[in-house]
Amino acid sequence: MNKILIENTKNHFVQRFKLKPTMVFSPGRINLIGEHTDYNEGFVFPAAIDKGIYVAMRKSGSDKSSVYALDMEESLDFSTNNMVISELGSWKNFIIGVVAEVLKKGKKVQGFNAVFSGDIPNGSGLSSSAALENSIVFGLNELFGLQLTRKEMIIISQKAEHNYVGVKCGIMDQYASMFGQKDKALLLDCRTITSEAFMINLGDYELILINTNVKHQLSESAYNDRRRVCEKAAAMLNIKALRDANEKDLLDIKSKLSEEDYQKVLYVVQENERVMEASEALKNNDLKTLGSLLFDTHKGLKDKYNVSCAELDFLVDRATEDSSVIGARMMGGGFGGCTINIVHRDNMDLFIAETSKAYLKKFGNECSVYYVNLVDGTHLAT
Ligand code: GLA
């Protein structure tokens, strides 16, 4: 955890509200493999990381609430019986959304004060949104003794995003952030919302994230569009979700779909298979296979699902050409954010230096490199 951020956030709360707060940390996430499979009730393989959101919270003693975003120097004031949705893209909607969804569940929430801050770079695709939602719902649960289970809390976080932010996300990000385990990744079944934890020990290899530092427009609507295509195909196949389909089944509906939509659906079915293969590879400590599955995922996301971009492709192409990298792909929803790379330690510094230089030359702006540790999910921070 970031001790300096905890202290800053806490001190700011005390200055602002003159009382000591309860502190919550909620992590961001990476995902080894299994992209765009979660809302198809399939499998994903995320892990919580040591970058996240720190929130200081305390009951206000009235029906008024005040939330301060330290990094943006913006505040939100509301009372629970008069909550208004803010402009699209504002962090305020995550807060309003979580409170509204808690109330919809019939739980009683009075006013509270909060200050939050974070160290997940904006737009990096490491799920600062899920971390923020989870930190608030977890904090409310503590303050008001709501007796919500962790599973209920992540459903509240997800609904906040669906209904107040407008992204019809799956459950992966909220789950990983809430249920993460130190040094482990979680093979999550998004239908049953249960997971198996895998110790991640890559021997001579390291996981490295490279942030393109771009987030292209319209990624939210493109995300929702793809979800709709998947649901349409599942309805045509008369199944609950694409998780229940195999490649052969898809031939039955091929002629009824456009070629682009067929490719998207095919990607999802293949990606779900890849997650299972990756979990086998990890069990057998077969890093080569794991790595080549990551490269395959990238190809699928780029050519079939159509959610990559020039910057991500450039980074993955370079990784593919470098023999010290055994696997790489874009990570998360797409259209920007990070790539995840499995790189041999001996050559890591050179790979990073050369990639950073080439990226700057090609795009005229810097990429950023992050090393992450895998950590426990949302918890009180002292
Ligand atoms: C975003 C969503 C997740 C998931 C990924 C793609 O991060 O929030 O639910 O769908 O994209 O795998």
Side-chain angles (χ1 to χ4, degrees), residues 25-55:
F25 170 67
S26 196
R29 64 103 187 89
I30 57 166
N31 184 24
L32 294 179
I33 194 161
E35 222 62 88
H36 290 276
T37 42
D38 61 350
Y39 52 83
N40 290 297
E41 299 188 11
F43 294 91
V44 291
F45 219 145
I49 56 172
D50 55 349
K51 289 182 183 297
I53 298 281
Y54 297 85
V55 62

Side-chain angles (χ1 to χ4, degrees), residues 29 31 33-40 44 125-127 129-130 158 161-162 167-174 223 227 267 271 301 305 329-334:
R29 64 103 187 89
N31 184 24
I33 194 161
E35 222 62 88
H36 290 276
T37 42
D38 61 350
Y39 52 83
N40 290 297
V44 291
L126 302 176
S127 288
S129 325
Q158 184 194 31
E161 195 142 340
H162 285 192
V167 181
K168 302 285 177 196
C169 62
I171 197 68
M172 168 169 73
D173 304 349
Q174 291 78 6
Y223 183 94
R227 183 169 183 156
Y267 160 78
E271 177 71 351
L301 288 165
Y305 217 59
R329 66 177 191 84
M330 56 150 279
M331 195 179 70

